[in-house]
Short mmCIF file of all heavy atoms in Angstrom, two decimals:
data_model
loop_
_atom_site.label_atom_id
_atom_site.label_comp_id
_atom_site.label_asym_id
_atom_site.label_seq_id
_atom_site.Cartn_x
_atom_site.Cartn_y
_atom_site.Cartn_z
N VAL A 1 14.24 9.80 -15.18
CA VAL A 1 14.31 8.35 -15.02
C VAL A 1 13.49 7.83 -13.83
O VAL A 1 12.86 6.77 -13.94
CB VAL A 1 15.79 7.91 -14.88
CG1 VAL A 1 15.90 6.44 -14.57
CG2 VAL A 1 16.54 8.22 -16.16
N ALA A 2 13.44 8.55 -12.72
CA ALA A 2 12.71 8.06 -11.55
C ALA A 2 11.22 7.86 -11.81
O ALA A 2 10.68 6.78 -11.56
CB ALA A 2 12.94 8.98 -10.35
N PRO A 3 10.52 8.87 -12.35
CA PRO A 3 9.10 8.63 -12.63
C PRO A 3 8.87 7.62 -13.74
O PRO A 3 7.90 6.85 -13.70
CB PRO A 3 8.54 10.01 -13.02
CG PRO A 3 9.68 10.92 -13.13
CD PRO A 3 10.89 10.26 -12.57
N LEU A 4 9.77 7.58 -14.70
CA LEU A 4 9.64 6.61 -15.79
C LEU A 4 9.77 5.19 -15.23
O LEU A 4 8.99 4.29 -15.58
CB LEU A 4 10.71 6.87 -16.86
CG LEU A 4 10.65 6.01 -18.10
CD1 LEU A 4 9.34 6.24 -18.85
CD2 LEU A 4 11.83 6.33 -19.00
N GLY A 5 10.72 4.98 -14.33
CA GLY A 5 10.89 3.67 -13.70
C GLY A 5 9.68 3.28 -12.87
O GLY A 5 9.24 2.13 -12.89
N ALA A 6 9.11 4.24 -12.14
CA ALA A 6 7.91 3.95 -11.34
C ALA A 6 6.74 3.60 -12.24
O ALA A 6 5.98 2.66 -11.96
CB ALA A 6 7.56 5.15 -10.46
N LEU A 7 6.60 4.31 -13.34
CA LEU A 7 5.49 4.07 -14.27
C LEU A 7 5.62 2.69 -14.91
O LEU A 7 4.67 1.91 -14.92
CB LEU A 7 5.46 5.16 -15.34
CG LEU A 7 4.35 5.04 -16.38
CD1 LEU A 7 3.00 5.26 -15.73
CD2 LEU A 7 4.57 6.06 -17.48
N LEU A 8 6.79 2.38 -15.43
CA LEU A 8 6.99 1.08 -16.07
C LEU A 8 6.94 -0.05 -15.06
O LEU A 8 6.37 -1.11 -15.32
CB LEU A 8 8.33 1.07 -16.82
CG LEU A 8 8.45 2.05 -17.98
CD1 LEU A 8 9.87 2.04 -18.54
CD2 LEU A 8 7.44 1.74 -19.06
N GLY A 9 7.53 0.17 -13.88
CA GLY A 9 7.54 -0.85 -12.85
C GLY A 9 6.15 -1.17 -12.34
O GLY A 9 5.80 -2.34 -12.13
N ALA A 10 5.32 -0.15 -12.16
CA ALA A 10 3.96 -0.38 -11.68
C ALA A 10 3.16 -1.20 -12.68
O ALA A 10 2.39 -2.08 -12.30
CB ALA A 10 3.26 0.96 -11.41
N ASP A 11 3.36 -0.94 -13.95
CA ASP A 11 2.64 -1.70 -14.99
C ASP A 11 3.06 -3.17 -14.97
O ASP A 11 2.23 -4.06 -15.08
CB ASP A 11 2.91 -1.09 -16.36
CG ASP A 11 2.08 -1.74 -17.45
OD1 ASP A 11 0.85 -1.87 -17.27
OD2 ASP A 11 2.67 -2.11 -18.49
N ILE A 12 4.33 -3.42 -14.80
CA ILE A 12 4.84 -4.80 -14.77
C ILE A 12 4.36 -5.52 -13.52
O ILE A 12 3.85 -6.63 -13.58
CB ILE A 12 6.39 -4.80 -14.84
CG1 ILE A 12 6.85 -4.32 -16.23
CG2 ILE A 12 6.95 -6.19 -14.55
CD1 ILE A 12 8.33 -4.00 -16.30
N VAL A 13 4.51 -4.89 -12.36
CA VAL A 13 4.16 -5.51 -11.09
C VAL A 13 2.65 -5.76 -10.98
O VAL A 13 2.23 -6.77 -10.42
CB VAL A 13 4.67 -4.67 -9.90
CG1 VAL A 13 4.15 -5.19 -8.58
CG2 VAL A 13 6.19 -4.68 -9.89
N SER A 14 1.85 -4.87 -11.54
CA SER A 14 0.40 -5.05 -11.43
C SER A 14 -0.09 -6.31 -12.14
O SER A 14 -1.17 -6.80 -11.85
CB SER A 14 -0.32 -3.82 -11.99
OG SER A 14 -0.14 -3.73 -13.39
N LYS A 15 0.72 -6.84 -13.04
CA LYS A 15 0.34 -8.05 -13.78
C LYS A 15 0.94 -9.32 -13.17
O LYS A 15 0.72 -10.41 -13.68
CB LYS A 15 0.78 -7.91 -15.23
CG LYS A 15 0.08 -6.77 -15.95
CD LYS A 15 0.64 -6.54 -17.33
CE LYS A 15 -0.03 -5.33 -17.96
NZ LYS A 15 0.66 -4.87 -19.13
N MET A 16 1.68 -9.18 -12.08
CA MET A 16 2.35 -10.33 -11.47
C MET A 16 1.47 -10.96 -10.39
O MET A 16 0.64 -10.30 -9.79
CB MET A 16 3.68 -9.89 -10.85
CG MET A 16 4.71 -9.44 -11.87
SD MET A 16 6.18 -8.74 -11.10
CE MET A 16 6.92 -10.19 -10.40
N SER A 17 1.72 -12.23 -10.13
CA SER A 17 1.00 -12.93 -9.06
C SER A 17 1.59 -12.53 -7.71
O SER A 17 2.71 -12.02 -7.62
CB SER A 17 1.12 -14.44 -9.24
OG SER A 17 2.46 -14.85 -9.03
N ARG A 18 0.84 -12.79 -6.66
CA ARG A 18 1.29 -12.47 -5.31
C ARG A 18 2.60 -13.16 -4.98
O ARG A 18 3.52 -12.56 -4.42
CB ARG A 18 0.23 -12.88 -4.30
CG ARG A 18 0.64 -12.66 -2.87
CD ARG A 18 -0.34 -13.23 -1.90
NE ARG A 18 -1.64 -12.61 -2.10
CZ ARG A 18 -2.41 -12.21 -1.13
NH1 ARG A 18 -2.04 -12.37 0.11
NH2 ARG A 18 -3.57 -11.66 -1.37
N SER A 19 2.73 -14.43 -5.33
CA SER A 19 3.97 -15.16 -4.99
C SER A 19 5.18 -14.58 -5.72
O SER A 19 6.26 -14.49 -5.14
CB SER A 19 3.81 -16.64 -5.31
OG SER A 19 3.59 -16.85 -6.68
N ARG A 20 5.00 -14.17 -6.96
CA ARG A 20 6.14 -13.57 -7.69
C ARG A 20 6.54 -12.24 -7.08
O ARG A 20 7.72 -11.90 -7.00
CB ARG A 20 5.80 -13.40 -9.16
CG ARG A 20 5.65 -14.76 -9.86
CD ARG A 20 5.49 -14.57 -11.33
NE ARG A 20 6.82 -14.89 -11.88
CZ ARG A 20 7.15 -14.72 -13.13
NH1 ARG A 20 6.30 -14.22 -13.96
NH2 ARG A 20 8.35 -15.03 -13.54
N ILE A 21 5.55 -11.46 -6.63
CA ILE A 21 5.86 -10.19 -5.97
C ILE A 21 6.60 -10.45 -4.66
O ILE A 21 7.60 -9.79 -4.36
CB ILE A 21 4.57 -9.38 -5.72
CG1 ILE A 21 3.97 -8.91 -7.04
CG2 ILE A 21 4.84 -8.18 -4.80
CD1 ILE A 21 2.59 -8.32 -6.93
N GLN A 22 6.14 -11.43 -3.89
CA GLN A 22 6.80 -11.77 -2.63
C GLN A 22 8.24 -12.21 -2.88
O GLN A 22 9.16 -11.80 -2.16
CB GLN A 22 6.03 -12.86 -1.90
CG GLN A 22 4.71 -12.40 -1.34
CD GLN A 22 3.88 -13.53 -0.78
OE1 GLN A 22 3.94 -14.67 -1.25
NE2 GLN A 22 3.09 -13.23 0.25
N ILE A 23 8.44 -13.03 -3.88
CA ILE A 23 9.81 -13.50 -4.20
C ILE A 23 10.67 -12.32 -4.65
O ILE A 23 11.82 -12.18 -4.23
CB ILE A 23 9.76 -14.61 -5.28
CG1 ILE A 23 9.15 -15.87 -4.69
CG2 ILE A 23 11.14 -14.87 -5.86
CD1 ILE A 23 8.80 -16.94 -5.72
N GLY A 24 10.11 -11.44 -5.49
CA GLY A 24 10.86 -10.27 -5.95
C GLY A 24 11.24 -9.34 -4.80
O GLY A 24 12.39 -8.89 -4.72
N LEU A 25 10.29 -9.07 -3.91
CA LEU A 25 10.59 -8.24 -2.74
C LEU A 25 11.63 -8.90 -1.85
O LEU A 25 12.54 -8.24 -1.33
CB LEU A 25 9.32 -7.95 -1.95
CG LEU A 25 8.33 -6.97 -2.56
CD1 LEU A 25 7.02 -6.96 -1.79
CD2 LEU A 25 8.91 -5.57 -2.62
N GLY A 26 11.51 -10.22 -1.68
CA GLY A 26 12.48 -10.95 -0.86
C GLY A 26 13.89 -10.86 -1.43
O GLY A 26 14.84 -10.59 -0.69
N PHE A 27 14.02 -11.07 -2.74
CA PHE A 27 15.34 -10.97 -3.37
C PHE A 27 15.88 -9.54 -3.29
O PHE A 27 17.08 -9.33 -3.06
CB PHE A 27 15.31 -11.43 -4.83
CG PHE A 27 15.45 -12.91 -4.98
CD1 PHE A 27 14.42 -13.66 -5.52
CD2 PHE A 27 16.61 -13.57 -4.59
CE1 PHE A 27 14.54 -15.04 -5.66
CE2 PHE A 27 16.75 -14.93 -4.73
CZ PHE A 27 15.71 -15.67 -5.26
N GLY A 28 15.00 -8.55 -3.46
CA GLY A 28 15.43 -7.16 -3.35
C GLY A 28 15.96 -6.84 -1.96
O GLY A 28 17.02 -6.22 -1.82
N LEU A 29 15.22 -7.25 -0.94
CA LEU A 29 15.67 -7.01 0.43
C LEU A 29 16.95 -7.78 0.75
O LEU A 29 17.84 -7.27 1.45
CB LEU A 29 14.56 -7.38 1.42
CG LEU A 29 13.33 -6.49 1.40
CD1 LEU A 29 12.21 -7.08 2.25
CD2 LEU A 29 13.67 -5.09 1.87
N LEU A 30 17.05 -8.99 0.23
CA LEU A 30 18.27 -9.78 0.42
C LEU A 30 19.47 -9.09 -0.23
O LEU A 30 20.55 -9.00 0.37
CB LEU A 30 18.09 -11.19 -0.16
CG LEU A 30 19.27 -12.14 -0.03
CD1 LEU A 30 19.57 -12.43 1.44
CD2 LEU A 30 18.98 -13.44 -0.77
N ALA A 31 19.28 -8.57 -1.44
CA ALA A 31 20.37 -7.86 -2.13
C ALA A 31 20.82 -6.64 -1.34
O ALA A 31 22.02 -6.41 -1.17
CB ALA A 31 19.92 -7.46 -3.53
N VAL A 32 19.87 -5.86 -0.85
CA VAL A 32 20.21 -4.68 -0.06
C VAL A 32 20.97 -5.09 1.20
O VAL A 32 21.98 -4.48 1.56
CB VAL A 32 18.95 -3.87 0.30
CG1 VAL A 32 19.26 -2.79 1.32
CG2 VAL A 32 18.34 -3.25 -0.95
N GLY A 33 20.49 -6.14 1.87
CA GLY A 33 21.17 -6.62 3.07
C GLY A 33 22.60 -7.06 2.78
O GLY A 33 23.52 -6.74 3.54
N LEU A 34 22.80 -7.78 1.69
CA LEU A 34 24.15 -8.24 1.33
C LEU A 34 25.06 -7.07 0.98
O LEU A 34 26.25 -7.06 1.36
CB LEU A 34 24.08 -9.23 0.17
CG LEU A 34 23.44 -10.58 0.50
CD1 LEU A 34 23.28 -11.43 -0.77
CD2 LEU A 34 24.25 -11.33 1.54
#
């Protein structure tokens, strides 16, 4: 599952805009903090 998630995730993220990546990273960090 770990390499499969990295492979699928990289494909999805590579097609995203910078602002969407920033928002996604921000929400991820916020979730971890909470």
Side-chain angles (χ1 to χ4, degrees):
V1 174
L4 184 63
L7 180 67
L8 296 174
D11 186 50
I12 292 167
V13 172
S14 68
K15 296 173 184 167
M16 294 173 71
S17 68
R18 177 187 300 223
S19 62
R20 293 187 102 187
I21 292 170
Q22 289 173 329
I23 290 169
L25 287 170
F27 276 116
L29 292 171
L30 181 64
V32 170
L34 292 173

